[in-house]
Amino acid sequence: MTAPATAPVAVTSRCAGCGACLLTCPVHAIRPLGGTLLVRAELCTGCLECVEVCPVDAVEEIPVRDPQEPS
């Protein structure tokens, strides 16, 4: 099985840097990077706990398009 190209979630520019998502992630897929947070696609399971815990709604789910669906 290959790692996904993008994670199922992304940290947006609204991030206040509180670290709630980082501390909540059960697989430690969120890491600090140059003053922001990065979601590591190869680790993220898509549980969305980070989305639920973010107090400023800075973590967003990225919809995954079904390759079988027409564009």
Side-chain angles (χ1 to χ4, degrees):
M1 184 170 128
T2 60
T6 58
V9 297
V11 179
T12 69
S13 61
R14 291 188 305 271
C15 178
C18 72
C21 61
L22 193 139
L23 296 172
T24 300
C25 182
V27 294
H28 310 288
I30 303 173
R31 302 276 191 226
L33 178 69
T36 189
L37 297 173
L38 172 72
V39 180
R40 295 179 57 196
E42 71 275 10
L43 298 177
C44 182
T45 62
C47 71
L48 304 181
E49 288 185 35
C50 54
V51 174
E52 297 298 321
V53 74
C54 182
V56 295
D57 296 324
V59 185
E60 296 181 347
E61 182 178 8
I62 299 172
V64 177
R65 189 179 72 78
D66 183 349
Q68 301 298 324
E69 275 186 26
S71 302

